[in-house]
């Protein structure tokens, strides 16, 4: 009868232990859902193990990859409380790492077996406790396994009265649940991190990204479409996004998308999208099909990249090329005209060559100034000064320049530049820039006539040059350019006179943008 009573007592004790372990396992899996980190889950598991075994404190550690050290995964809240009782004033501590395999926990790992040491300091493997660690009177260590491989241990300390076999068995039964909960939490956190990284990566990408099913319905997007267009995801679904495509592009775009969905062929299409505020911008849309080998489903992944600036640059490049071709034709026409009129003026071949070279240089100086600005306009004062400097004339008592800033269109600059060159060469050879004491006054102004057309008026006045009895007997290139070419080709009003004191010339020319008159 006594043996039967003892057996019944042991059975009840075993049932009570197993029920306690089951309740502990349920608690771990229930509360693990709210754990925000691996270390928080570890503290929960340790609290449950302490409740089941009656331990005062505990820690959980994992073998390193080299299997020669351990990292603490968690230290129980009760252990931290004891630590702070011993060391008041110290803030929260991080779990330590890189422990060598020695002492009592090292014996658990090396033997891959549970260990009870109720007189911990007298155990052959005892090495004492680290600085600040609570005194250790009793120790229970249980190895942790995953898929048959040793991965770490749970160490519990200081159960009042020492640890018993029933405590060891409870901890061993609890260990697989702890390992399962730990690795499930790791997988959950890794998945969450990868999802966060994917989401953040998609948000950081400046392009619009989306995934669609075989019917063209958006399954997922990175939110850039709504940010760009102001259209909600719900409104954009089921082809509603076409409402934001420019009406002139809409039919072509829809046909291209539907063709890609029907054939699984890649698509690349440029289109204009209406942004917030009603402004349209050019986007390059790309669409590719990706098949899932396991489910045989096909999804389409798309990206839309803003190419508006690129389109503008390409259009500007086309305009610049066309303008360059136009200017090249114009300058060649001018060069041919200068050449023919220089030759027709006659004279020695050396003189003809010098005159032609000088006029080409004048054209070249004007072209150099044209290319220095994005608009191609030439400042009138800079043009005049460059021509005078080319013949060695700078500011001084013999030269007076005055006038406002006047930007000349390229062809007007070519014509006025040639006229100034001819007047300057004449002044160097015969006029105010040759005669000591003579003065050259150049002034200009800008006016707008009744129909809104802007005109520049340039006056070239020489003073102090000995009187010339009559005008030159032969009309040269400069006279023909000023008196005939400028009025005929550019609508200018010109006057040129050889009078006592020097040459007097006025040129009034309309300033119209390229393509209207010039």
């Amino acid at each position: 009868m006594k043996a039967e009573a003892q057996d019944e007592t042991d059975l009840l004790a075993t049932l009570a232990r197993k029920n306690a372990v089951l309740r502990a396992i349920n608690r771990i899996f229930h509360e693990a859902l709210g754990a925000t980190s691996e270390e928080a889950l570890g503290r929960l598991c340790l609290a449950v193990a302490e409740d089941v075994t009656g331990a005062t404190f505990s820690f959980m550690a994992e073998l390193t990859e080299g299997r020669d050290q351990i990292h603490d995964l968690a230290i129980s809240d009760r252990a931290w409380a004891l630590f702070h009782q011993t060391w008041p004033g110290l803030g929260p501590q991080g779990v330590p790492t890189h422990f060598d395999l020695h002492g009592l926990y090292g014996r658990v790992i090396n033997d891959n077996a549970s260990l009870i040491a109720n007189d911990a300091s007298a155990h052959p493997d005892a090495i004492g406790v680290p600085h600040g660690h609570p005194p250790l009177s009793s120790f229970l260590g249980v190895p942790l396994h995953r898929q048959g491989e040793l991965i770490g241990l749970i160490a519990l300390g200081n159960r009042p009265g020492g640890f018993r076999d029933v405590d060891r068995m409870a901890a061993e039964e609890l260990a697989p649940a702890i390992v399962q909960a730990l690795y499930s939490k790791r997988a959950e956190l890794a998945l969450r991190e990868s999802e966060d990284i994917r989401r953040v990566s998609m948000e950081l990408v400046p392009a619009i990204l989306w995934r669609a099913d075989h019917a063209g319905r958006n399954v997922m997007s990175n939110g850039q479409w709504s940010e760009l267009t102001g259209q909600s995801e719900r409104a954009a679904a089921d082809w509603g996004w076409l409402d934001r495509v420019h009406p002139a592009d809409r039919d072509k775009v829809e046909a291209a998308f539907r063709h890609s969905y029907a054939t699984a062929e890649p698509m690349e299409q440029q289109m204009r999208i209406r942004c917030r505020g009603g402004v349209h911008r050019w986007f390059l849309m790309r669409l590719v099909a990706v098949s899932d080998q396991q489910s045989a489903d096909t999804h389409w992944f798309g990206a839309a990249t803003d190419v508006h600036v690129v389109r503008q640059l390409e259009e500007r490049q086309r305009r610049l090329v066309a303008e360059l071709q136009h200017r090249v034709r114009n300058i060649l026409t001018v060069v041919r005209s200068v050449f023919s009129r220089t030759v027709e003026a006659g004279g020695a071949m050396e003189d003809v060559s010098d005159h032609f070279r000088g006029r080409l240089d004048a054209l070249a100086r004007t072209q150099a100034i044209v290319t220095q600005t994005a608009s191609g306009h030439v400042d009138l004062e800079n043009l005049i000064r460059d021509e005078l400097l080319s013949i060695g004339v700078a500011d001084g008592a013999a030269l007076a320049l005055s006038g406002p800033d006047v930007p000349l269109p390229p062809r007007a600059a070519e014509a006025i530049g040639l006229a100034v060159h001819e007047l300057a060469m004449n002044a160097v050879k015969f006029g105010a820039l040759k005669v000591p004491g003579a003065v050259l006054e150049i002034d200009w102004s800008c006016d707008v006539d009744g129909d809104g057309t802007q005109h520049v008026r340039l006056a070239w006045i020489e003073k102090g040059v000995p009187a010339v009895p009559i005008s030159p007997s032969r009309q040269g290139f400069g006279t023909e350019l000023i008196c005939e070419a400028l009025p005929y080709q550019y609508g200018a009003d010109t006057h040129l006179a050889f009078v006592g004191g020097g040459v007097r010339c006025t040129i009034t020319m309309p300033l119209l943008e390229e393509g209207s008159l010039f």
Side-chain angles (χ1 to χ4, degrees):
M1 294 292 294
K2 187 175 181 180
E4 291 178 359
Q6 181 64 42
D7 290 342
E8 185 176 351
T9 300
D10 292 344
L11 178 60
L12 291 175
T14 300
L15 289 175
R17 172 177 56 78
K18 288 187 176 295
N19 285 334
V21 170
L22 286 175
R23 287 195 298 272
I25 292 173
N26 287 335
R27 179 183 168 191
I28 286 174
F29 287 123
H30 176 72
E31 297 188 22
L33 297 175
T36 58
S37 68
E38 186 177 298
E39 198 263 340
L41 175 61
R43 291 200 310 271
L44 167 66
C45 293
L46 291 174
V48 172
E50 290 170 348
D51 290 344
V52 171
T53 62
T56 303
F57 55 82
S58 58
F59 76 90
M60 179 166 46
E62 183 178 29
L63 278 167
T64 61
E65 186 175 352
R67 306 185 68 79
D68 56 347
Q69 291 181 316
I70 58 172
H71 292 319
D72 277 4
L73 293 175
I75 295 176
S76 73
D77 292 334
R78 295 173 188 175
W80 281 125
L82 289 172
F83 174 82
H84 290 301
Q85 287 177 9
T86 306
W87 299 95
L90 286 181
Q93 304 293 310
V95 292
T97 60
H98 294 93
F99 281 111
D100 292 330
L101 292 179
H102 55 199
L104 298 176
Y105 62 81
R107 176 54 54 198
V108 175
I109 294 294
N110 290 327
D111 291 348
N112 192 12
S114 299
L115 171 65
I116 294 178
N118 283 327
D119 186 3
S121 60
H123 192 278
D125 291 302
I127 58 172
V129 294
H131 182 67
H133 192 287
L136 184 64
S137 58
S138 59
F139 172 86
L140 169 60
V142 175
L144 298 175
H145 299 91
R146 182 171 185 265
Q147 297 177 351
E149 181 181 3
L150 176 67
I151 63 167
L153 83 156
I154 290 180
L156 302 114
N158 291 10
R159 180 187 185 277
F163 289 100
R164 306 161 299 173
D165 281 340
V166 67
D167 302 320
R168 173 186 57 77
M169 288 186 289
E172 289 175 344
E173 292 168 350
L174 195 60
I178 292 176
V179 172
Q180 182 178 347
L182 175 66
Y183 275 84
S184 295
K185 179 58 66 174
R186 282 184 177 175
E188 174 193 334
L189 294 174
L191 178 61
R192 186 183 306 167
E193 181 180 13
S194 67
E195 286 294 316
D196 288 343
I197 291 174
R198 180 196 61 78
R199 177 182 56 79
V200 172
S201 298
M202 289 187 68
E203 294 299 332
L204 289 176
V205 172
I208 301 169
L209 304 177
W210 73 91
R211 179 164 62 92
D213 62 14
H214 65 280
R217 294 184 292 263
N218 285 357
V219 178
M220 175 274 298
S221 67
N222 65 345
Q224 295 283 4
W225 177 267
S226 297
E227 182 67 24
L228 173 74
T229 66
Q231 187 184 42
S232 67
E233 290 191 16
R234 182 175 180 180
D238 295 330
W239 299 88
W241 58 271
L242 282 170
D243 180 63
R244 292 296 190 268
V245 178
H246 193 285
D249 302 335
R250 196 170 296 158
D251 291 343
K252 178 178 64 176
V253 168
E254 182 177 1
F257 270 79
R258 291 192 182 279
H259 178 77
S260 181
Y261 289 136
T263 63
E265 295 178 2
M267 184 215 72
E268 186 171 301
Q269 186 79 36
Q270 289 195 18
M271 66 191 71
R272 286 163 289 183
I273 295 175
R274 188 172 78 250
C275 305
R276 292 177 183 267
V279 177
H280 285 84
R281 293 184 66 86
W282 281 98
F283 279 77
L284 173 62
M285 295 278 195
R286 292 189 175 95
L287 193 67
V288 294
V290 178
S291 298
D292 187 333
Q293 300 298 330
Q294 296 181 346
S295 65
D297 290 337
T298 299
H299 287 270
W300 278 259
F301 289 86
T305 307
D306 190 323
V307 294
H308 193 75
V309 174
V310 175
R311 290 275 304 210
Q312 288 181 320
L313 291 175
E314 289 175 347
E315 181 61 30
R316 174 172 171 76
Q317 185 181 35
R318 284 192 291 269
R319 290 198 304 269
L320 289 175
V321 169
E323 184 178 348
L324 178 60
Q325 292 173 339
H326 177 67
R327 288 187 181 181
V328 168
R329 288 194 296 269
N330 284 341
I331 195 65
L332 288 177
T333 300
V334 173
V335 170
R336 282 196 297 268
S337 175
V338 169
F339 176 76
S340 61
R341 292 181 180 180
T342 302
V343 172
E344 289 171 1
M349 184 58 67
E350 184 177 349
D351 292 338
V352 171
S353 176
D354 289 341
H355 288 319
F356 182 61
R357 186 182 301 111
R359 288 157 187 162
L360 281 184
D361 290 343
L363 285 172
R365 284 190 292 273
T366 302
Q367 295 305 311
I369 300 175
V370 166
T371 59
Q372 290 174 0
T373 61
S375 64
H377 285 66
V378 177
D379 181 73
L380 177 56
E381 182 175 354
N382 289 340
L383 184 148
I384 294 171
R385 289 189 180 277
D386 281 353
E387 286 302 322
L388 295 176
L389 287 174
S390 71
I391 57 175
V393 178
D395 289 339
L399 179 63
L401 299 179
S402 64
D405 291 339
V406 178
L408 301 175
R411 289 206 65 202
E414 292 169 3
I416 293 178
L418 276 175
V420 171
H421 172 75
E422 295 300 320
L423 291 169
M425 293 302 297
N426 183 78
V428 166
K429 292 180 179 180
F430 311 108
L433 298 180
K434 177 182 179 182
V435 178
V439 175
L440 171 60
E441 295 178 355
I442 306 174
D443 63 74
W444 59 91
S445 60
C446 203
D447 301 302
V448 178
D449 63 16
D451 64 0
T453 302
Q454 192 177 34
H455 291 75
V456 61
R457 181 182 184 279
L458 174 68
W460 179 288
I461 301 173
E462 299 180 17
K463 299 178 180 179
V465 179
V468 178
I470 57 173
S471 297
S473 59
R474 182 175 58 83
Q475 181 170 294
F477 174 82
T479 302
E480 182 181 348
L481 170 70
I482 294 171
C483 296
E484 298 180 12
L486 295 187
Y488 177 74
Q489 296 182 12
Y490 304 103
D493 181 17
T494 63
H495 297 277
L496 177 64
F498 297 87
V499 298
V503 171
R504 296 194 176 187
C505 177
T506 59
I507 300 173
T508 303
M509 180 179 291
L511 297 181
L512 299 179
E513 293 299 324
E514 301 289 340
S516 54
L517 177 62
F518 305 118

